[in-house]
Amino acid sequence: MSWSKSISLDVANKLFDVIGVSFEENELEGGYVAKHQNKTLRSPTLIACCMAVLSDWITIKED
């Protein structure tokens, strides 16, 4: 089995919907945009956008 570094827009939106993040393709400038409340994050690829959301917007709580 091989893995690829890709994700579909539909899957990304379903996965991140739980935390209120939505993704859309930016047709004017190219790339993708992640939105959460008043925050916006832009990235050239969807997987890079998802990774940036995980590293910049997600905090893992340790008890």
Side-chain angles (χ1 to χ4, degrees), residues 4-63:
S4 65
K5 286 188 170 185
S6 66
I7 188 170
S8 73
L9 193 57
D10 185 46
V11 171
N13 279 316
K14 286 179 183 175
L15 286 173
F16 286 86
D17 183 54
V18 175
I19 58 171
V21 174
S22 63
F23 297 91
E24 58 189 47
E25 191 170 5
N26 187 341
E27 295 178 9
L28 292 175
E29 298 176 12
Y32 292 85
V33 177
K35 295 182 179 183
H36 181 263
Q37 296 172 351
N38 62 346
K39 294 191 249 180
T40 302
L41 193 147
R42 289 179 174 78
S43 195
T45 65
L46 182 55
I47 195 70
C49 201
C50 291
M51 291 169 61
V53 166
L54 289 171
S55 65
D56 295 346
W57 291 354
I58 306 296
T59 303
I60 297 175
K61 293 174 68 176
E62 293 184 25
D63 292 333

Side-chain angles (χ1 to χ4, degrees), residues 1-5:
M1 178 189 297
S2 66
W3 292 88
S4 65
K5 286 188 170 185

